[in-house]
């Protein structure tokens, strides 16, 4: 039986990945400190055999006790805040998570002889001058701006993976994820898909940053995870490989579709565009297609319908939903207050 560790397992992508791995027959340990993830995302697995949840902060070395004591065959390293408001809330902590978290995951992969997947990002391309973005493009990141904690953090995490491969022979694999959405997104984390849906359902103004002509390519979560597993199952592909959807939409098109699908009468309200917000983003998926047989299958309309149904149910159940999706109150994060429960 394959034994898999998912860091960031209580997050949006991590919790779906845990479900997929359990369905394949893996034994799975999810490790998380709930910085941006939610216990509710894994609540349905409470009594599930072959599954354990461990509370731990990846900026500290990974524990060796309890469920963390055995050897892992595979490590999926996802632990890191992903939405701009979340990673900018405490940028120094974000950089620590990216660097130290990846270092600790790689050290564990080295000790265990495990294969590791690093959840990298299209943000390594910054505000790109090449369009669409191929894996060979080296990016245009502002090292001094408010997004640098995340962008540069993820870039150094990629370097670490390469150096662990060259120096220690660790089988580390890199995926560069383009905007992915779906059920279990945190309704309050400020990403555009969750913001627009929650605002539309609440009849509140749709917060459009800038003129709304900037573009993104949105991938449904199930498609992305198929790509993750194809890369981890591949005999010799290490990436980096772009994963996402190569359909490209302006934020205005996204808003119009959300308004149509929710039958909402919310108005669009223009807000200032955040610093260093990339103007366009679209993956070149040639490598994913040829090397992994990857294809996205869920059209944006269908994926949005499923995501809207999720948020509707969450609101009906009295879930804590803030329609505006602002950054949470700024507060330094003290990892010493996080206890480890094994
Ligand atoms: P998310 O915020 O829902 O999940 C991140 C998880 O990591 C959360 O459960 C959080 O509590 C956990 N975490 C954060 N800091 C931690 C720490 N110090 N110790 C332990 N756990 C910690 O975000 P997501 O969208 O699921 O993203 C998962 C991964 O994929 C991230 O690494 C992110 O950078 C990457 N990614 C996501 C997207 C996307 O569109 N969703 C795009 C590019 C990259
Ligand atoms: N955006 C927006 N309104 C919002 C949240 C985001 O117009 O309420 C824009 C944002 O400026 C960016 C795009 O939507 O151009 C995608 O933002 P998101 O935070 O989802 O992801 P990222 O910028 O990391 O791709």
């Amino acid at each position: 039986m394959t034994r898999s560790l998912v860091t960031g397992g209580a997050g949006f992508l991590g919790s779906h990945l845990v479900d997929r791995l359990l369905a394949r027959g893996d034994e799975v340990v999810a490790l998380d400190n709930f910085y941006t993830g939610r216990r509710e995302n894994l609540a349905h697995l409470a009594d599930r055999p072959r599954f354990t949840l461990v509370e731990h902060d990846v900026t500290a070395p990974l524990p060796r006790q309890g469920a963390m004591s055995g050897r892992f065959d595979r490590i999926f390293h996802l632990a890191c805040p992903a939405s701009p408001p979340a990673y900018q809330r405490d940028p120094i902590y974000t950089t620590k998570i990216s660097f130290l978290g990846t270092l600790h995951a790689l050290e564990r992969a080295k000790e265990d002889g495990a294969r590791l997947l690093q959840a990298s990002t299209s943000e390594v391309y910054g505000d790109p001058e090449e369009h669409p973005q191929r894996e060979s493009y080296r990016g245009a990141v502002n090292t001094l701006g408010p997004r640098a904690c995340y962008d540069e953090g993820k870039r150094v995490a990629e370097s670490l993976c390469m150096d662990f491969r060259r120096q220690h022979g660790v089988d580390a694999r890199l995926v560069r994820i383009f905007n992915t959405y779906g059920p279990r997104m945190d309704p309050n984390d400020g990403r555009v898909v969750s913001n627009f849906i929650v605002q539309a359902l609440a009849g509140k103004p749709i917060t459009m940053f800038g003129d709304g002509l900037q573009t993104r390519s949105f991938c449904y979560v199930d498609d992305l995870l198929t790509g993750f597993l194809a890369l981890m199952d591949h005999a010799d592909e290490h990436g980096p490989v772009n994963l996402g959807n190569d359909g490209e939409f302006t934020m205005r098109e996204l808003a119009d579709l959300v308004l149509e699908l929710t039958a909402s009468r919310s108005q669009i309200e223009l807000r200032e565009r955040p610093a260093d917000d990339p103007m366009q983003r679209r993956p070149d998926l040639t490598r994913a297609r040829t090397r992994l047989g990857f294809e996205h299958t869920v059209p944006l309309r269908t994926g949005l319908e499923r995501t809207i149904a999720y948020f509707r149910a969450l609101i009906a159940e009295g879930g804590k939903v803030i329609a505006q999706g602002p950054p949470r109150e700024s507060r330094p994060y003290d990892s010493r207050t996080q206890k480890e429960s094994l």
Side-chain angles (χ1 to χ4, degrees):
M1 188 191 297
T2 304
R3 203 160 177 264
S4 294
L5 172 66
V6 180
T7 75
F12 158 51
L13 296 180
S15 62
H16 285 283
L17 177 61
V18 168
D19 285 342
R20 287 281 282 267
L21 294 172
L22 286 170
R24 275 161 63 116
D26 285 16
E27 182 185 331
V28 181
V29 176
L31 182 145
D32 208 294
N33 70 346
F34 309 106
Y35 184 49
T36 53
R38 295 176 299 155
R39 286 181 188 277
E40 296 91 308
N41 287 340
L42 296 170
H44 60 291
L45 301 175
D47 301 319
R48 185 78 177 250
R50 295 187 283 110
F51 172 70
T52 316
L53 174 60
V54 171
E55 187 170 344
H56 180 77
D57 183 331
V58 294
T59 61
L62 302 193
R64 272 272 177 207
Q65 310 99 295
M68 291 294 290
S69 60
R71 172 186 172 271
F72 289 106
D73 302 294
R74 293 186 174 190
I75 298 176
F76 295 83
H77 179 50
L78 276 66
C80 184
S83 84
Y87 66 66
Q88 290 174 27
R89 184 163 73 228
D90 185 347
I92 297 170
Y93 183 52
T94 298
T95 305
K96 283 170 78 174
I97 293 172
S98 250
F99 175 67
L100 292 172
T102 308
L103 176 69
H104 295 141
L106 284 162
E107 280 171 342
R108 184 60 184 257
K110 178 181 163 225
E111 287 164 22
D112 288 7
R115 185 172 286 181
L116 178 140
L117 179 128
Q118 164 64 11
S120 192
T121 168
S122 55
E123 292 283 337
V124 300
Y125 302 125
D127 193 0
E129 294 132 339
E130 175 179 302
H131 192 72
Q133 294 82 52
R134 278 172 300 185
E135 289 86 350
S136 54
Y137 176 54
R138 293 189 182 173
V141 172
N142 174 8
T143 61
L144 307 176
R147 295 174 86 99
C149 57
Y150 183 74
D151 300 8
E152 294 294 354
K154 288 286 187 177
R155 284 166 70 97
V156 82
E158 287 199 2
S159 308
L160 265 182
C161 289
M162 293 306 291
D163 288 333
F164 267 74
R165 272 188 61 201
R166 286 186 285 250
Q167 219 170 311
H168 300 302
V170 170
D171 186 356
R173 301 177 175 213
L174 302 173
V175 280
R176 292 183 179 153
I177 306 166
F178 284 66
N179 294 57
T180 301
Y181 69 99
R184 297 191 199 155
M185 291 183 88
D186 180 342
N188 305 321
D189 85 0
R191 282 184 263 198
V192 70
V193 173
S194 45
N195 266 12
F196 283 5
I197 293 176
V198 169
Q199 289 161 347
L201 290 176
K204 298 224 167 129
I206 303 285
T207 52
M208 182 74 68
F209 298 166
D211 57 11
L213 296 179
Q214 68 271 38
T215 66
R216 293 293 187 274
S217 302
F218 297 105
C219 182
Y220 189 67
V221 57
D222 291 356
D223 285 335
L224 180 83
L225 296 183
T226 301
F228 274 26
L229 297 176
L231 179 62
M232 282 298 256
D233 290 343
H234 199 282
D236 56 14
E237 177 60 57
H238 295 92
V241 58
N242 291 334
L243 288 181
N245 179 341
D246 51 7
E248 186 178 353
F249 298 86
T250 65
M251 296 312 102
R252 280 198 178 261
E253 287 170 324
L254 177 72
D256 288 345
L257 193 50
V258 168
L259 288 170
E260 179 201 325
L261 295 174
T262 52
S264 169
R265 300 171 73 168
S266 290
Q267 301 294 311
I268 289 178
E269 194 174 277
L270 298 184
R271 299 264 179 99
E272 200 178 332
R273 191 145 154 257
D276 295 333
D277 189 38
M279 193 56 206
Q280 54 181 7
R281 194 62 88 44
R282 174 155 64 95
D284 180 313
L285 294 175
T286 309
R287 188 165 192 171
R289 289 194 171 104
T290 53
R291 296 288 292 163
L292 306 178
F294 176 79
E295 201 47 79
H296 52 84
T297 61
V298 181
L300 184 60
R301 175 176 284 271
T302 311
L304 284 177
E305 279 167 354
R306 293 180 196 169
T307 312
I308 289 166
Y310 169 79
F311 281 123
R312 265 194 215 285
L314 196 68
I315 291 166
E317 286 161 15
K320 227 176 88 202
V321 174
I322 303 169
Q324 289 284 29
R328 286 171 188 156
E329 191 189 341
S330 180
R331 62 180 170 87
Y333 184 72
D334 183 356
S335 59
R336 286 166 306 179
T337 63
Q338 295 297 305
K339 57 181 186 325
E340 191 180 302
S341 68
L342 292 166

